[in-house]
Amino acid sequence: MKKYDLGALTQKARDARQYAQAKYSHFKVGAALLADDNSVITGSNVESSSYGLTICAERVALTKALSEGITKFKAIAIAAKDGSFCSPCGACRQLLYDYAPDLDIILTDGKNNKTYKIKDLLPLAFEDTQLG
Ligand code: THU
C-alpha cells in the first residue's frame, strides 16, 4: 500500500461535500484526489436539471486535476453522509482506471475507512491498449 495520511485525505473529502450541487438528489458527495506530488485536488458532485448531465465528485476532482496539468495520482478518498460508505459509479471507475490504473480508492463513512485498488473495482476493464 502507498504511504499517505489517510486521516487528512478523508477529512478533505468530507470537507469537499459542503460544495456539492445536489438539489435534485440531495445526495452530497465529496472527493479528495491525492497526486504524486502530494497536492490534493477536491471535487463535489454537480447536478443538472437535465439529470444525465450530472457529474460525480470523483470525476470533478479528476478533470480539475488533469486540466491543470496534474496527471499522476496515488489515491482518492470519497465521502458521502457520515455513517454510510459511497462506492464510485461505473463511469467514474472507468475514468479513474484510464488515468490512474494503480489508484487506491478509499471510502470513508466519517469514522471508518475501506481501501480498494481501482483495478479490483473494475475487473476486465476496457483500456487504451485495446485501441490498437
Ligand atoms: N455521486 C457521486 O458524486 N459519486 C458517487 O460515487 C456516486 C454518486 C453523485 C451523483 C449524483 O449527483 C448523486 O450522487 C446521486 O446519484
Side-chain angles (χ1 to χ4, degrees):
M1 202 55 70
K2 295 166 196 159
K3 272 178 63 184
Y4 45 80
D5 184 340
L6 197 58
L9 194 64
T10 54
Q11 186 55 50
K12 285 194 168 155
R14 295 176 71 213
D15 291 345
R17 278 191 80 228
Q18 68 188 294
Y19 303 116
Q21 304 298 319
K23 66 178 175 178
Y24 303 103
S25 73
H26 305 291
F27 189 83
K28 297 183 175 186
V29 185
L33 181 61
L34 177 66
D36 275 9
D37 66 3
N38 290 324
S39 59
V40 175
I41 305 91
T42 59
S44 63
N45 50 331
V46 178
E47 299 187 343
S48 170
S49 58
S50 179
Y51 299 163
L53 300 182
T54 289
I55 313 173
C56 295
E58 298 91 321
R59 271 177 289 154
V60 169
L62 180 66
T63 52
K64 272 174 70 179
L66 293 172
S67 62
E68 291 178 5
I70 303 167
T71 58
K72 304 270 186 234
F73 308 104
K74 296 182 196 176
I76 188 168
I78 305 163
K81 205 169 60 181
D82 277 355
S84 65
F85 292 101
C86 177
S87 187
C89 79
C92 288
R93 291 178 198 208
Q94 180 68 48
L95 209 63
L96 291 168
Y97 181 79
D98 285 335
Y99 286 93
D102 194 40
L103 195 69
D104 290 351
I105 308 283
I106 303 144
L107 313 184
T108 185
D109 70 355
K111 213 172 180 187
N112 299 300
N113 305 316
K114 296 179 183 175
T115 302
Y116 304 90
K117 301 300 294 187
I118 186 65
K119 54 171 86 69
D120 295 328
L121 295 187
L122 194 65
L124 208 65
F126 181 76
E127 56 188 358
D128 55 7
T129 54
Q130 295 171 53
L131 291 170

